[in-house]
Amino acid sequence: MVPAASLRNAWVKFGQFTAIQDISLEIEAGAFYSILGPSGCGKSTLLRLVSDLIPPASGDVSIFGKTTEAARLAREFAFVFQDAALLPWRTALENVELPLEMGRSRGIQIPVSDKSPMELLELVGLKGREHALPHELSGGMRQRVAIARALVCKPKLLLMDEPFGALDEMTRDHLNLQLLKVWEETGVTILFVTHSIPEAVFLGQKVLMLKAHPGRLHEIVDIDLPYPRTTEVRDTAEFTRYSAYLRKLLEAC
Amino acid sequence: MTAVDETLGMPMDDDAAEKALARRARLTAVATPVLTAIGLIATWEIGVRAFGVPSYIAPSPSEVATTLVTEFPQLMRNFWPTLFESVLGFVVGNVAAVLIAVAFVHSRMVERAFFPIAVFINTIPILAIAPILVLIFGAGLTAKVVIAALICFFPTLVNMVRGLQSVSPQALELARILSATKSEVFWKIRLPSSLPFLFSALKIAATTCVIGAIVGEWVGADVGLGALIIDATFNFRSALLYATVFLSSGLSVLMFAAVSIAERMIVRW
Ligand SMILES: Nc1ncnc2c1ncn2[C@@H]1O[C@H](COP(=O)(O)OP(=O)(O)O)[C@@H](O)[C@H]1O
Ligand SMILES: [Mg+2]
C-alpha cells in the first residue's frame, strides 16, 4: 500500500538554523499517529513541511506518492490549527463550506465528502448550532467546526497541530472520543501533534517522539491498545506503562 | 404543590427584578446627559436675560429656536446643497482611500512611492488648502466635494491599510492549504476582515466631510450652510448664525447615525 506520507532525508532550515534534521519516515495510510516532543523541537514545522507550507531544504516529501504541491492541489490533506482559525463573519456552516469555495478560480478539482456540511457538523456534535457565528460558540465548539471544515473535502490525511491544546480537560476528553469516532467512520490518516502524553497514548496507534536541537526523529512507539478506546482505557496498567515510558523518553530528549 | 410554585416563582421574580434594574440603568444613562443639556440651555437663557446681553452678541436659546422655525425655508434651502456636497465628498474620498489602500497592500512599491505624499497632503491644514482648491476648481460644486473628500481621505486610507493587513497568519495559511488564488483571499478573507477598521474610519469621515463642505463654502459660495454662516455673521444676525450652526451639527449627527446603522447591519461579529 502507498504510504500516506513519506519523508526521505528531509531537512528544514530557517536561514542558518536547522529546524528539522534528516527525518526519514513513512506514515502508514489509515493509521493514527500522535506526535510528541519537547517544545520547539519542530513538531509544527514537520506538519508544515508535509502540508506544503514550507519547502524542505533538502530531501523528499511525498503524500500518497505525489509531491506535496500536487497533493495540496488535489486536496488530499487538511489542516486543523490550534486556534480554530475560523472566519468570524461566517456562521459555523459557512465556515465548513469555505474549502468548497476556495481554489475554484484556479480550476482545481475539489473533492467533496459524501457527507454534506450540515451532516459533518452533526458528526462533530454541533447539530442545531449551524447558524451560530464563531463568537457565539465555545472554544471546544469552534474547534469542532474546524474539524468539520477539515473533513468537507474528504481528505485522506488530516494534520492536526495541538488542536485541543487550549481547551479544558473535560472538553478535551470529550473531543478525543469524538475524534476517534470520526477517524473510525472516515478511515482518514491522522497526524496529531500534542504536548500531552496521556492524549498521545489515548489517541494514537503509534507515537512519533521527536528530539530537539536540532529537531529529529527519536523513536516510534507502537501503542497496542484495542479500539474502540473508551475513557476506562486510561485506568489500565498498560496505559500507565506507555505513559511512563514516553515520559522517560521525553525527559531524555 | 405550593412549594414547587414558589421555587418556580422565585427565578421569575429575580428575572423581573433584574430586568427592571437594567431598565433603570439604561434610563439613567440616557437621562443624565439630556438633563445636563437642558440645565445648560436653561442657564444660558437665564444668563442672557439677567445680564441683558444684546442679541447680536449672544442670542438666547428661545430666540434661536424661534429663528429655526421662522427661517426654516431659508435654512433648508442652504441645508440641501451642504448635505449633497458632504455625501458626495464622503463617497469620493472614501472610495479613493479604499482603492488606494488596496493598491498599497497589493504592492509594496506603490506604498513606498505614494504613502509619503499622502502623509504630506494630510499635514496641510484644510483651511490653508481650501482657497487653492477653490481657485483650481472654481466656486461651484466641485471644489466643495474635493475639500470634503480630502478631509475624509487620510483616516480611511490608514485604517483600511491596517484592516486589510489584520488577517491572522493562520487564516492565510489555511488559504494557502486550500490553494486559494490572490483574488479569493482578497474577497473572502482580507476585505471582510477589514470591515470593522473601515467602519471606524467611516464614522470619523461622516462628521469631517461636513466640516470639509462648510469650509469650502466659506471660501467661495452663495448657497450652503457655510455661506449662510458667513452671511449671518457679517449681518450680525446672531440668532440665524446659531440656528445654522445647530443645523450643521445636526447634519453631522445624521451622517454619523447613518454610518453607525450601516455598521450594525453589516459588521455582526
Ligand atoms: N518561520 C520560522 N522562522 C525561523 N525559525 C522558525 C520558524 N518557524 C519555526 N522556527 C523555529 O524552529 C523550531 C521548531 O519550531 P516548531 O516547529 O514551531 O516547534 P514545536 O511546534 O515543536 O514547538 C523552533 O526553534 C522555532 O523557533
Ligand atoms: Mg508547535
Side-chain angles (χ1 to χ4, degrees), chain A residues 232-250:
Chain A
E232 286 76 53
V233 86
R234 289 205 179 85
D235 305 324
T236 62
E238 286 133 292
F239 190 92
T240 317
R241 202 163 47 74
Y242 283 123
S243 302
Y245 179 69
L246 288 170
R247 186 163 303 114
K248 267 200 207 101
L249 268 188
L250 201 57

Side-chain angles (χ1 to χ4, degrees), chain B:
Chain B
M1 201 56 211
T2 43
V4 172
D5 276 353
E6 267 168 28
T7 46
L8 279 178
M10 282 292 283
M12 281 252 297
D13 285 349
D14 265 9
D15 221 37
E18 215 166 89
K19 267 192 193 143
L21 215 67
R23 210 176 308 130
R24 273 229 337 242
R26 259 202 314 275
L27 204 67
T28 319
V30 176
T32 312
V34 168
L35 288 178
T36 310
I38 291 174
L40 285 172
I41 290 172
T43 313
W44 172 13
E45 180 83 43
I46 293 165
V48 167
R49 285 175 193 232
F51 296 104
V53 180
S55 155
Y56 63 87
I57 291 178
S60 67
S62 55
E63 254 182 292
V64 176
T66 314
T67 312
L68 260 177
V69 176
T70 53
E71 298 288 338
F72 192 70
Q74 193 195 355
L75 283 166
M76 275 299 135
R77 215 169 37 247
N78 290 285
F79 175 83
W80 295 119
T82 308
L83 172 71
F84 188 60
E85 292 155 9
S86 304
V87 171
L88 221 56
F90 179 87
V91 171
V92 171
N94 287 307
V95 167
V98 168
L99 292 179
I100 290 174
V102 170
F104 278 10
V105 172
H106 196 74
S107 151
R108 270 261 110 91
M109 270 296 283
V110 177
E111 181 176 1
R112 247 180 249 135
F114 288 100
F115 194 69
I117 299 175
V119 173
F120 173 69
I121 291 174
N122 184 53
T123 58
I124 305 174
I126 202 75
L127 270 169
I129 206 172
I132 299 175
L133 292 171
V134 172
L135 281 180
I136 296 174
F137 294 106
L141 175 70
T142 319
K144 282 107 201 170
V145 172
V146 171
I147 294 165
L150 205 61
I151 212 170
C152 297
F153 176 76
F154 196 76
T156 303
L157 174 69
V158 173
N159 268 286
M160 191 65 189
V161 167
R162 272 208 11 202
L164 289 169
Q165 288 170 340
S166 72
V167 181
S168 78
Q170 300 219 314
L172 292 178
E173 290 196 332
L174 176 71
R176 155 115 178 132
I177 285 170
L178 297 173
S179 314
T181 60
K182 251 192 144 174
S183 82
E184 284 167 341
V185 172
F186 179 78
W187 291 108
K188 292 188 190 288
I189 299 179
R190 280 193 192 280
L191 195 62
S193 48
S194 74
L195 288 180
F197 292 82
L198 176 61
F199 271 103
S200 52
L202 292 185
K203 282 196 276 192
I204 300 171
T207 56
T208 54
C209 70
V210 177
I211 298 175
I214 288 176
V215 167
E217 289 164 352
W218 279 355
V219 178
D222 27 59
V223 289
L225 295 175
L228 194 56
I229 286 172
I230 298 286
D231 201 58
T233 307
F234 287 138
N235 291 315
F236 297 102
R237 296 181 65 190
S238 302
L240 181 60
L241 172 63
Y242 277 56
T244 313
V245 169
F246 183 76
L247 207 59
S248 307
S249 81
L251 174 54
S252 291
V253 170
L254 199 72
M255 299 278 294
F256 186 84
V259 173
S260 298
I261 289 168
E263 179 184 34
R264 203 165 305 162
M265 276 166 22
I266 294 169
V267 183
R268 296 201 322 270
W269 60 92

